Amino acid sequence: MSHVPTPAVEPQHSFNSESDVVDHRRIGERLRPPASQAVIDKSVAAGIAAGLSQELAETLTAAAADQQQLRQALRSPKVQRFGSEEFTYIEFDVVTWRVLPSPDNIRFEDAHARGTIGMPRFGAVGEQALLTFEMDSADKLIDAMAPRITDMEENNPHVESILDRGIETPGWLSAVRVITDLGAVTRLESTDGFGRTVASHKGLGITFKDVAWNLRPGSRRATNLLRDLVEWAGSDMVSDEQARAVRCSIMPNARVIIGFSAPRGFDRARRRFVAHLHMAPPMNFSTATTLNAKANAAVDNLYERGLLPVPSGMTAEGVRDVLDGSDREHGLLPDQVAVLACGALNPHQNKRQARAVNEAIVDLTGAKPRLEERTQLAAEVALRRFPADKRLTALRSSLDRAWRWSVLRGVELTFGEPLDLLAEARRELVQAGDAAGPATAELATLASYHLVGGRTQLLIRSEFGPRGSNIEPQQIMRQMAKSDVGLRQLCQIVLDGRAGRDPQELAKGTMPQDKRIADAEILSPDRLREVADLSDGEGITRLTPEDRFAAALKEFGERLDDLHDAAQAVGKVTGEDGVALVDTLGFNNSDVRDTLVEITDLVSEWRGARRRADRMRADLDESGDAR
């Protein structure tokens, strides 16, 4: 068994000129006439001798274009590692009418997460490299796959290339047991070759239903199809359709997975594997699909390391299934899912949880994520009930920025009622001033969801940053949470959001109420900014100068963190040659330079004052009186 390096994933090249049409006989040379039962039994025995189950051995035998080539491949399987998963596979020519367009494809990741696809996820059979897929109706499965296959046929630019040249770039395939009202059938599925498989079926003139049920191994229709293809393959007197069918009949040197080693079941290992193939280097999937693939990988890694936050009354498995979209009947409120997502995928930077999220993303993409990427993943998971349209982009962007406030990193879900959280948050404000506590963080996270996802989006990301009335979502949340006025307004926003009401503005000095409030104004984005500004300094207790000094220093530190992140972002922008543009173009702004010098001088003066204070304190400790 040999290990091989990971190759770059190459797309099928597109050819349009007539001279690029491949002679069908070149591909047809790989086809063999229908094998005798004795030859089939020999191949199945070779598969079982290689450690495969009877079911998997029979599936490979039925899919092989050349039985002798299959047996030779079984004698020398290969191993390839992708991140934390290791896959054992064999290479052989596979006839394409044995490859099912995958009903659990990475292109459907966004639809799976949002529950709009109408199909389940893959399961797995024990420790085998064998997937399961179960639906109560074969007709429903066919209907669910039809628009996705049609979309691929009409919009994938490589389809015409395959019709004219056949499959030139082999794909990875896995075995899947499909269970419907028609019984169970086992086929190969297009692990990372969905487009190639759909195109080849178009060239063959067959359907999803044909592959799954009509062209059964050993059936008369399947045998006649192979005989026709073999006859056409050796003839130069064929129609264009017949020549095209021969070209589309084989996936040469397909890589079929027959074993695996991973800290998770084959269904999840295969899902991560496909994401790894398509994101390193990144492919042009939708933003929602890409973010969901990364988020699911991060959730898996957190679960396997025992790092998922588990609220009282839930299990780690339950949290995982909620966050990866597997469980849509969990009973949590949408804003509670948002808190769960923020707490799991947006942990503090130096925590083990943050490293686990980063490792999962690096495992898929090969690139270390930026700090804000964790908030993007959390926001995407929180907003899965919204369709992936233009509005989602604005919602995600605003929630992402609101959750960059350090107080919300690692927020914990307690299932506390909004009014109870408000009472505790007010106590935190009295005791700690601007140093927000856990109840404040939970209340603010709940409210941020409704401020973004309500009927009117109130938290709006400014295109130009915090200029004038354009206040970024993070600043609004921070401002609201540091006063009694703001905390009460956040609580009212949660109550209204859960009841499906437009958020009402609380009159000064009143407490939140879970009902329509007489004469209450409805909040607007502009009015929310005004409320946030008005709440500045209107705490429920008088802060000492020392408290205000500590809060100001904390704010200064947070702004420095933001500045450091912004400076790092400048250095990450590279030209086409991969060299950072700041290294080649440089940067010179006298205003920025003067401001940094002024800040440095101020900090130096503060440090000098601190040293003097330390010396005075030491003198007091020794004599009880300052010298």
Side-chain angles (χ1 to χ4, degrees):
M1 189 176 298
S2 59
H3 287 260
V4 296
T6 304
V9 180
E10 299 177 0
Q12 181 87 14
H13 297 291
S14 179
F15 298 88
N16 297 313
S17 65
E18 186 176 348
S19 61
D20 287 321
V21 176
V22 170
D23 187 337
H24 69 286
R25 288 172 294 185
R26 280 176 47 191
I27 299 173
E29 290 174 354
R30 295 174 176 264
L31 280 171
R32 297 292 180 269
S36 67
Q37 189 61 48
V39 171
I40 291 173
D41 291 342
K42 188 175 179 180
S43 294
V44 172
I48 294 173
L52 306 182
S53 67
Q54 179 86 18
E55 180 179 7
L56 190 51
E58 290 177 350
T59 301
L60 299 187
T61 299
D66 184 334
Q67 297 299 322
Q68 185 175 356
Q69 182 198 37
L70 170 63
R71 293 194 296 272
Q72 183 178 354
L74 287 167
R75 289 193 290 269
S76 56
K78 301 175 182 179
V79 174
Q80 192 160 339
R81 177 173 287 277
F82 291 85
S84 57
E85 284 88 14
E86 191 173 79
F87 296 90
T88 302
Y89 68 98
I90 58 175
E91 290 184 342
F92 65 102
D93 296 344
V94 169
V95 292
T96 52
W97 63 89
R98 292 280 177 259
V99 183
L100 198 68
S102 178
D104 193 353
N105 186 268
I106 191 173
R107 292 170 180 81
F108 313 158
E109 201 69 49
D110 175 41
H112 274 303
R114 287 182 161 72
T116 58
I117 194 171
M119 291 192 294
R121 305 305 301 252
F122 279 145
V125 178
E127 300 299 318
Q128 298 183 55
L130 178 60
L131 302 165
T132 60
F133 186 85
E134 186 169 359
M135 287 186 72
D136 59 3
S137 167
D139 288 337
K140 289 181 180 178
L141 174 55
I142 294 168
D143 291 342
M145 288 301 298
R148 305 179 191 283
I149 291 173
T150 300
D151 179 70
M152 178 62 66
E153 290 177 340
E154 294 178 350
N155 298 312
N156 190 296
H158 306 307
V159 167
E160 291 303 317
S161 163
I162 291 172
L163 297 178
D164 289 341
R165 300 186 62 82
I167 297 175
E168 298 178 287
T169 305
W172 290 82
L173 308 175
S174 306
V176 58
R177 183 192 297 165
V178 179
I179 305 166
T180 66
D181 55 338
L182 299 181
V185 295
T186 305
R187 302 285 183 262
L188 296 180
E189 61 92 21
S190 58
T191 302
D192 86 315
F194 187 84
R196 282 162 280 190
T197 299
V198 167
S200 65
H201 290 176
K202 181 178 181 180
L204 282 169
I206 61 176
T207 65
F208 183 92
K209 181 179 180 181
D210 290 332
V211 178
W213 296 286
N214 294 339
L215 293 168
R216 298 184 304 276
S219 68
R220 178 179 300 178
R221 183 174 173 183
T223 300
N224 289 340
L225 173 62
L226 177 55
R227 285 175 175 159
D228 287 342
L229 290 168
V230 170
E231 178 182 345
W232 299 335
S235 173
D236 58 357
M237 300 295 293
V238 294
S239 66
D240 290 343
E241 289 76 14
Q242 291 168 339
R244 175 171 290 180
V246 174
R247 286 193 295 269
C248 292
S249 64
I250 291 176
M251 180 181 286
N253 299 319
R255 298 167 181 172
V256 182
I257 298 172
I258 61 172
F260 76 107
S261 175
R264 54 190 63 87
F266 185 56
D267 53 335
R268 291 180 178 271
R270 175 250 182 222
R271 191 186 309 167
R272 285 171 61 108
F273 161 64
V274 175
H276 189 284
L277 287 176
H278 286 274
M279 293 184 187
M283 302 292 279
N284 292 325
F285 291 116
S286 70
T287 300
T289 289
T290 299
L291 289 176
N292 276 291
K294 291 179 180 179
N296 288 346
V299 169
D300 274 349
N301 206 31
L302 288 166
Y303 171 77
E304 288 145 14
R305 293 174 179 269
L307 297 174
L308 274 178
V310 182
S312 176
M314 296 188 70
T315 64
E317 292 82 359
V319 172
R320 180 193 64 185
D321 292 346
V322 169
L323 292 179
D324 72 6
S326 299
D327 181 8
R328 309 198 65 81
E329 305 297 329
H330 45 68
L332 299 183
L333 298 173
D335 57 7
Q336 292 172 333
V337 175
V339 175
L340 201 59
C342 187
L345 296 170
N346 182 32
H348 284 284
Q349 187 168 359
N350 296 322
K351 299 289 188 179
R352 289 188 300 158
Q353 291 89 335
R355 291 195 291 273
V357 173
N358 289 347
E359 287 169 5
I361 297 172
V362 170
D363 192 39
L364 293 184
T365 66
K368 183 178 179 180
R370 302 184 306 276
L371 177 65
E372 60 268 24
E373 190 158 353
R374 294 198 295 272
T375 56
Q376 291 173 356
L377 299 183
E380 173 62 31
V381 171
L383 295 171
R384 279 175 171 165
R385 75 181 186 92
F386 293 90
D389 55 18
K390 290 182 178 179
R391 187 191 177 200
L392 175 64
T393 301
L395 300 182
R396 187 198 300 121
S397 179
S398 294
L399 196 58
D400 159 29
R401 279 161 174 76
W403 286 359
R404 293 182 192 179
W405 183 25
S406 60
V407 166
L408 305 187
R409 296 191 185 279
V411 61
E412 296 182 4
L413 176 64
T414 67
F415 297 107
E417 291 298 323
L419 289 170
D420 294 335
L421 290 173
L422 172 62
E424 183 59 33
R426 297 177 80 196
R427 283 192 290 271
E428 291 172 353
L429 185 61
V430 171
Q431 296 168 2
D434 287 350
T440 301
E442 185 175 3
L443 182 63
T445 307
L446 292 170
S448 67
Y449 175 82
H450 295 290
L451 286 169
V452 167
R455 286 188 286 186
T456 300
Q457 182 181 349
L458 299 182
L459 273 184
I460 298 176
R461 174 199 167 202
S462 165
E463 181 181 356
F464 304 105
R467 299 178 184 175
S469 63
N470 292 324
I471 301 176
E472 287 291 292
Q474 177 186 156
Q475 294 171 290
I476 291 177
M477 297 307 303
R478 183 187 303 169
Q479 191 81 344
M480 295 285 285
K482 71 186 210 179
S483 74
D484 183 46
V485 173
L487 289 174
R488 285 187 279 113
Q489 184 62 69
L490 291 177
C491 181
Q492 184 64 51
I493 288 166
V494 176
L495 293 173
D496 288 335
R498 289 184 174 182
R501 297 186 292 263
D502 287 323
Q504 305 169 94
E505 181 181 347
L506 279 180
K508 189 173 182 178
T510 61
M511 288 296 292
Q513 302 177 57
D514 192 7
K515 64 179 184 179
R516 293 280 183 188
I517 302 174
D519 301 324
E521 297 290 334
I522 301 301
L523 279 175
S524 66
D526 290 337
R527 183 56 188 154
L528 178 67
R529 293 190 182 102
E530 293 174 4
V531 171
D533 285 336
L534 288 172
S535 68
D536 187 17
E538 294 188 5
I540 60 176
T541 184
R542 184 175 180 81
L543 299 179
T544 66
E546 289 76 13
D547 289 336
R548 295 198 301 274
F549 178 64
L553 287 178
K554 183 175 182 293
E555 177 79 6
F556 177 71
E558 291 177 351
R559 294 297 179 88
L560 281 182
D561 288 340
D562 293 340
L563 177 62
H564 184 248
D565 291 341
Q568 286 183 319
V570 171
K572 292 176 181 177
V573 181
T574 61
E576 295 182 356
D577 56 0
V579 177
L581 292 182
V582 73
D583 292 338
T584 58
L585 300 180
F587 172 71
N588 184 23
N589 185 306
S590 58
D591 291 338
V592 171
R593 182 194 60 219
D594 293 344
T595 300
L596 289 175
V597 169
E598 184 178 350
I599 291 172
T600 303
D601 290 343
L602 284 172
V603 173
S604 296
E605 292 175 7
W606 298 346
R607 294 181 63 194
R610 179 55 182 258
R611 287 194 295 269
R612 291 192 297 273
D614 289 342
R615 287 197 299 269
M616 292 178 64
R617 189 175 298 109
D619 291 340
L620 284 171
D621 290 341
E622 292 177 4
S623 65
D625 195 6
R627 294 183 180 177

Coordinates of all heavy atoms in Angstrom, one line a residue, residues 124-185:
A124 N -23.6 6.6 7.5 CA -22.5 5.6 7.2 C -22.8 4.3 7.8 O -23.6 4.2 8.8 CB -21.2 6.2 7.7
V125 N -22.1 3.3 7.3 CA -22.3 1.9 7.8 C -21.1 1.5 8.7 O -20.0 1.2 8.2 CB -22.4 0.9 6.7 CG1 -22.5 -0.5 7.3 CG2 -23.6 1.2 5.8
G126 N -21.2 1.6 10.0 CA -20.2 1.2 10.9 C -18.8 1.8 10.6 O -18.7 3.1 10.4
E127 N -17.8 1.0 10.5 CA -16.4 1.5 10.2 C -16.1 1.3 8.8 O -14.9 1.5 8.4 CB -15.4 0.7 11.1 CG -15.6 0.8 12.6 CD -15.5 2.2 13.1 OE1 -14.6 2.9 12.6 OE2 -16.3 2.7 13.9
Q128 N -17.1 1.0 7.9 CA -16.8 0.8 6.5 C -16.8 2.1 5.8 O -17.3 3.1 6.2 CB -17.9 -0.1 5.9 CG -18.0 -1.5 6.4 CD -19.0 -2.3 5.7 OE1 -19.0 -2.4 4.4 NE2 -20.0 -2.8 6.4
A129 N -16.1 2.1 4.6 CA -16.1 3.2 3.7 C -17.4 3.0 2.8 O -17.3 2.9 1.6 CB -14.9 3.2 2.9
L130 N -18.5 3.1 3.5 CA -19.8 2.9 2.8 C -20.8 3.9 3.4 O -21.1 3.9 4.6 CB -20.3 1.4 3.0 CG -21.6 1.1 2.4 CD1 -21.6 1.3 0.9 CD2 -22.0 -0.4 2.7
L131 N -21.3 4.7 2.5 CA -22.3 5.7 2.9 C -23.7 5.1 2.8 O -23.9 4.1 2.2 CB -22.2 6.9 1.9 CG -20.9 7.6 1.9 CD1 -20.8 8.5 0.6 CD2 -20.6 8.4 3.1
T132 N -24.6 5.8 3.5 CA -26.0 5.4 3.4 C -26.8 6.7 3.1 O -26.5 7.8 3.5 CB -26.6 4.8 4.7 OG1 -26.5 5.7 5.8 CG2 -25.9 3.5 5.0
F133 N -27.9 6.5 2.3 CA -28.8 7.6 2.0 C -30.2 7.0 2.0 O -30.5 6.1 1.2 CB -28.4 8.2 0.7 CG -29.2 9.4 0.3 CD1 -28.8 10.7 0.8 CD2 -30.4 9.4 -0.4 CE1 -29.5 11.8 0.5 CE2 -31.1 10.5 -0.7 CZ -30.7 11.8 -0.2
E134 N -31.1 7.6 2.8 CA -32.4 7.0 3.0 C -33.5 8.0 2.8 O -33.5 9.1 3.4 CB -32.5 6.3 4.4 CG -33.8 5.6 4.6 CD -33.8 4.7 5.8 OE1 -32.8 4.7 6.5 OE2 -34.8 4.1 6.1
M135 N -34.4 7.8 1.9 CA -35.6 8.6 1.7 C -36.8 7.6 1.6 O -36.7 6.5 1.1 CB -35.5 9.5 0.5 CG -34.6 10.6 0.7 SD -34.6 11.8 -0.7 CE -36.2 12.6 -0.5
D136 N -38.0 8.1 2.0 CA -39.1 7.2 2.0 C -39.7 7.0 0.6 O -40.5 6.1 0.4 CB -40.2 7.7 3.0 CG -40.7 9.1 2.7 OD1 -40.2 9.7 1.6 OD2 -41.5 9.7 3.4
S137 N -39.3 7.8 -0.3 CA -39.9 7.7 -1.7 C -38.8 8.0 -2.7 O -38.1 9.0 -2.7 CB -41.0 8.8 -1.8 OG -41.4 9.0 -3.2
A138 N -38.7 7.0 -3.6 CA -37.8 7.1 -4.8 C -38.2 8.3 -5.7 O -37.4 9.0 -6.2 CB -37.7 5.8 -5.6
D139 N -39.5 8.5 -5.8 CA -40.0 9.6 -6.7 C -39.6 10.9 -6.1 O -39.2 11.9 -6.8 CB -41.5 9.5 -6.8 CG -42.0 8.4 -7.7 OD1 -41.1 7.9 -8.5 OD2 -43.1 7.9 -7.6
K140 N -39.7 11.1 -4.7 CA -39.3 12.3 -4.1 C -37.8 12.6 -4.3 O -37.3 13.7 -4.5 CB -39.6 12.3 -2.6 CG -41.1 12.4 -2.3 CD -41.3 12.4 -0.8 CE -42.8 12.5 -0.5 NZ -43.0 12.4 1.0
L141 N -37.0 11.5 -4.3 CA -35.5 11.7 -4.5 C -35.3 12.1 -5.9 O -34.5 13.0 -6.2 CB -34.8 10.3 -4.2 CG -33.3 10.3 -4.5 CD1 -32.6 11.4 -3.8 CD2 -32.8 8.9 -4.1
I142 N -35.9 11.5 -6.9 CA -35.8 11.9 -8.3 C -36.2 13.3 -8.5 O -35.5 14.1 -9.2 CB -36.6 10.9 -9.2 CG1 -36.0 9.5 -9.1 CG2 -36.6 11.4 -10.6 CD1 -37.0 8.5 -9.7
D143 N -37.3 13.7 -7.9 CA -37.8 15.1 -8.1 C -36.9 16.1 -7.4 O -36.7 17.2 -7.9 CB -39.2 15.2 -7.4 CG -40.3 14.5 -8.2 OD1 -40.0 14.1 -9.4 OD2 -41.3 14.2 -7.6
A144 N -36.3 15.7 -6.3 CA -35.3 16.6 -5.6 C -34.1 16.8 -6.4 O -33.5 17.9 -6.4 CB -35.0 16.1 -4.2
M145 N -33.6 15.8 -7.1 CA -32.3 15.9 -7.8 C -32.5 16.5 -9.2 O -31.5 17.1 -9.7 CB -31.8 14.5 -8.0 CG -31.2 13.8 -6.7 SD -29.9 14.8 -6.0 CE -28.6 14.8 -7.3
A146 N -33.7 16.4 -9.7 CA -33.9 16.9 -11.1 C -33.5 18.4 -11.3 O -32.7 18.7 -12.3 CB -35.4 16.7 -11.5
P147 N -33.9 19.3 -10.5 CA -33.5 20.7 -10.8 C -32.0 21.0 -10.6 O -31.4 21.8 -11.2 CB -34.3 21.5 -9.8 CG -34.7 20.6 -8.7 CD -34.8 19.3 -9.4
R148 N -31.4 20.2 -9.7 CA -29.9 20.4 -9.5 C -29.1 19.8 -10.6 O -28.1 20.4 -11.0 CB -29.5 19.7 -8.1 CG -30.4 20.3 -7.0 CD -30.2 19.7 -5.7 NE -31.3 20.2 -4.8 CZ -31.3 21.4 -4.3 NH1 -30.4 22.3 -4.5 NH2 -32.4 21.7 -3.5
I149 N -29.6 18.7 -11.2 CA -28.9 18.2 -12.4 C -29.1 19.1 -13.6 O -28.2 19.3 -14.3 CB -29.5 16.8 -12.7 CG1 -29.0 15.8 -11.5 CG2 -29.0 16.3 -14.0 CD1 -29.6 14.4 -11.6
T150 N -30.3 19.6 -13.7 CA -30.6 20.5 -14.8 C -29.8 21.8 -14.7 O -29.2 22.3 -15.7 CB -32.1 20.9 -14.9 OG1 -32.9 19.7 -15.0 CG2 -32.4 21.9 -16.0
D151 N -29.7 22.3 -13.5 CA -28.8 23.5 -13.3 C -27.4 23.2 -13.7 O -26.7 24.1 -14.4 CB -28.9 23.9 -11.9 CG -28.1 25.2 -11.6 OD1 -28.4 26.3 -12.1 OD2 -27.0 25.0 -10.9
M152 N -26.9 22.1 -13.4 CA -25.5 21.7 -13.8 C -25.4 21.6 -15.3 O -24.4 22.1 -15.9 CB -25.1 20.4 -13.1 CG -23.7 19.9 -13.4 SD -22.4 21.0 -12.9 CE -22.6 20.9 -11.2
E153 N -26.3 21.0 -15.9 CA -26.3 20.8 -17.4 C -26.3 22.1 -18.1 O -25.6 22.3 -19.1 CB -27.4 19.9 -17.8 CG -27.4 18.5 -17.4 CD -28.6 17.7 -17.9 OE1 -29.6 18.3 -18.1 OE2 -28.5 16.5 -18.0
E154 N -27.1 23.1 -17.6 CA -27.3 24.3 -18.3 C -26.2 25.4 -18.0 O -25.9 26.2 -18.8 CB -28.7 24.9 -17.9 CG -29.8 24.0 -18.4 CD -31.2 24.6 -18.0 OE1 -31.2 25.5 -17.2 OE2 -32.2 24.1 -18.5
N155 N -25.6 25.3 -16.8 CA -24.7 26.4 -16.3 C -23.2 26.0 -16.2 O -22.4 26.9 -16.0 CB -25.2 27.0 -15.0 CG -26.6 27.5 -15.2 OD1 -26.9 28.3 -16.1 ND2 -27.5 27.2 -14.3
N156 N -22.9 24.7 -16.1 CA -21.5 24.3 -16.0 C -20.8 24.4 -17.3 O -21.2 23.8 -18.3 CB -21.4 22.9 -15.4 CG -20.0 22.6 -15.0 OD1 -19.1 22.6 -15.8 ND2 -19.8 22.3 -13.7
P157 N -19.7 25.3 -17.4 CA -19.1 25.5 -18.7 C -18.3 24.2 -19.2 O -17.9 24.2 -20.3 CB -18.1 26.6 -18.4 CG -17.8 26.5 -16.9 CD -19.1 26.1 -16.3
H158 N -18.1 23.2 -18.3 CA -17.3 22.1 -18.7 C -18.1 20.9 -19.3 O -17.5 20.0 -19.8 CB -16.5 21.6 -17.5 CG -15.7 22.6 -16.8 ND1 -14.8 23.4 -17.5 CD2 -15.6 23.0 -15.5 CE1 -14.2 24.2 -16.7 NE2 -14.7 24.0 -15.5
V159 N -19.4 21.1 -19.3 CA -20.3 20.0 -19.8 C -20.0 19.7 -21.2 O -19.8 18.6 -21.7 CB -21.8 20.3 -19.6 CG1 -22.7 19.4 -20.4 CG2 -22.1 20.3 -18.1
E160 N -19.9 20.8 -22.1 CA -19.7 20.6 -23.5 C -18.3 19.9 -23.8 O -18.2 19.2 -24.7 CB -19.8 21.9 -24.2 CG -21.2 22.5 -24.3 CD -22.2 21.5 -24.9 OE1 -21.9 20.9 -25.9 OE2 -23.3 21.4 -24.4
S161 N -17.4 20.3 -23.0 CA -16.0 19.7 -23.1 C -16.1 18.2 -22.9 O -15.5 17.4 -23.7 CB -15.1 20.3 -22.1 OG -13.9 19.5 -21.9
I162 N -16.8 17.7 -21.9 CA -16.9 16.3 -21.6 C -17.7 15.6 -22.8 O -17.3 14.5 -23.2 CB -17.6 16.1 -20.3 CG1 -16.6 16.6 -19.2 CG2 -17.9 14.6 -20.1 CD1 -17.2 16.6 -17.8
L163 N -18.7 16.2 -23.3 CA -19.4 15.6 -24.4 C -18.5 15.4 -25.6 O -18.7 14.5 -26.4 CB -20.6 16.5 -24.8 CG -21.7 16.7 -23.7 CD1 -22.8 17.6 -24.2 CD2 -22.3 15.3 -23.3
D164 N -17.6 16.4 -25.8 CA -16.7 16.3 -27.0 C -15.4 15.5 -26.7 O -14.8 15.0 -27.7 CB -16.3 17.7 -27.5 CG -17.5 18.4 -28.1 OD1 -18.5 17.7 -28.5 OD2 -17.5 19.7 -28.1
R165 N -15.0 15.5 -25.5 CA -13.7 14.9 -25.2 C -13.7 13.8 -24.2 O -12.7 13.1 -23.9 CB -12.7 16.0 -24.7 CG -12.5 17.1 -25.7 CD -11.4 18.0 -25.3 NE -10.1 17.4 -25.1 CZ -9.2 17.1 -26.1 NH1 -9.5 17.5 -27.3 NH2 -8.1 16.5 -25.9
G166 N -14.8 13.6 -23.5 CA -14.9 12.6 -22.4 C -14.3 13.2 -21.2 O -13.9 14.4 -21.1
I167 N -14.3 12.4 -20.1 CA -13.8 12.9 -18.8 C -12.2 12.7 -18.9 O -11.7 11.6 -18.9 CB -14.3 12.0 -17.7 CG1 -15.9 12.2 -17.6 CG2 -13.7 12.4 -16.3 CD1 -16.5 11.3 -16.6
E168 N -11.6 13.9 -18.8 CA -10.1 13.9 -18.8 C -9.5 14.0 -17.5 O -8.3 13.5 -17.3 CB -9.6 15.1 -19.7 CG -10.1 15.0 -21.1 CD -9.7 16.2 -21.9 OE1 -10.2 17.3 -21.7 OE2 -8.8 16.1 -22.7
T169 N -10.2 14.5 -16.5 CA -9.6 14.6 -15.1 C -10.4 13.6 -14.2 O -11.6 13.8 -14.0 CB -9.8 16.0 -14.6 OG1 -9.2 16.9 -15.5 CG2 -9.1 16.1 -13.2
P170 N -9.8 12.6 -13.8 CA -10.5 11.6 -13.0 C -11.0 12.2 -11.7 O -10.4 13.1 -11.1 CB -9.5 10.5 -12.7 CG -8.2 11.2 -12.8 CD -8.4 12.2 -13.9
G171 N -12.1 11.7 -11.2 CA -12.7 12.1 -9.9 C -12.6 11.1 -8.8 O -12.2 9.9 -9.1
W172 N -12.9 11.5 -7.6 CA -13.0 10.6 -6.5 C -14.4 10.1 -6.4 O -15.4 10.8 -6.5 CB -12.6 11.3 -5.2 CG -11.2 11.6 -5.0 CD1 -10.5 12.7 -5.6 CD2 -10.2 10.9 -4.3 NE1 -9.2 12.7 -5.2 CE2 -8.9 11.6 -4.5 CE3 -10.2 9.7 -3.6 CZ2 -7.8 11.1 -3.9 CZ3 -9.0 9.2 -3.0 CH2 -7.8 10.0 -3.2
L173 N -14.6 8.8 -6.1 CA -15.9 8.2 -6.0 C -16.0 7.4 -4.6 O -14.9 6.9 -4.1 CB -16.1 7.2 -7.1 CG -16.0 7.8 -8.6 CD1 -16.1 6.7 -9.6 CD2 -16.9 8.9 -8.8
S174 N -17.2 7.3 -4.1 CA -17.4 6.5 -2.9 C -18.6 5.6 -3.1 O -19.4 5.9 -4.0 CB -17.7 7.4 -1.7 OG -16.6 8.3 -1.5
A175 N -18.7 4.6 -2.3 CA -19.9 3.7 -2.4 C -21.0 4.2 -1.5 O -20.8 4.7 -0.4 CB -19.5 2.3 -2.0
V176 N -22.3 4.1 -2.0 CA -23.4 4.6 -1.2 C -24.5 3.6 -1.4 O -24.8 3.1 -2.4 CB -23.9 6.0 -1.6 CG1 -24.2 6.0 -3.1 CG2 -25.1 6.4 -0.8
R177 N -25.2 3.2 -0.2 CA -26.4 2.4 -0.2 C -27.6 3.3 -0.2 O -27.8 4.0 0.8 CB -26.3 1.5 1.0 CG -27.5 0.5 1.1 CD -27.6 -0.2 2.4 NE -26.4 -1.0 2.7 CZ -26.0 -1.4 3.9 NH1 -26.8 -1.1 5.0 NH2 -24.9 -2.1 4.1
V178 N -28.3 3.3 -1.3 CA -29.5 4.1 -1.4 C -30.8 3.3 -1.0 O -31.0 2.2 -1.5 CB -29.7 4.7 -2.8 CG1 -31.0 5.5 -2.9 CG2 -28.5 5.5 -3.2
I179 N -31.5 3.8 0.0 CA -32.6 3.1 0.6 C -33.9 3.9 0.4 O -34.0 5.0 0.9 CB -32.4 2.8 2.1 CG1 -31.1 2.1 2.3 CG2 -33.6 1.9 2.6 CD1 -30.7 2.0 3.8
T180 N -34.8 3.3 -0.4 CA -36.1 4.0 -0.6 C -37.2 3.0 -0.6 O -37.0 1.8 -0.2 CB -36.1 4.7 -2.0 OG1 -36.1 3.6 -3.0 CG2 -35.0 5.6 -2.2
D181 N -38.4 3.4 -1.0 CA -39.5 2.5 -1.0 C -39.3 1.4 -2.0 O -40.1 0.3 -2.0 CB -40.9 3.2 -1.3 CG -40.8 4.0 -2.5 OD1 -39.7 4.4 -3.0 OD2 -41.9 4.4 -3.1
L182 N -38.4 1.5 -2.9 CA -38.1 0.5 -3.9 C -37.0 -0.5 -3.4 O -36.6 -1.4 -4.1 CB -37.6 1.1 -5.2 CG -38.5 2.0 -5.9 CD1 -37.9 2.6 -7.2 CD2 -39.8 1.4 -6.2
G183 N -36.6 -0.4 -2.1 CA -35.6 -1.3 -1.6 C -34.3 -0.6 -1.5 O -34.1 0.6 -1.6
A184 N -33.2 -1.4 -1.3 CA -31.9 -0.9 -1.2 C -31.0 -1.2 -2.4 O -31.1 -2.4 -2.9 CB -31.2 -1.4 0.1
V185 N -30.3 -0.2 -2.9 CA -29.4 -0.5 -4.0 C -28.1 0.2 -3.6 O -28.1 1.2 -3.0 CB -29.9 0.1 -5.4 CG1 -31.1 -0.7 -5.8 CG2 -30.1 1.5 -5.3

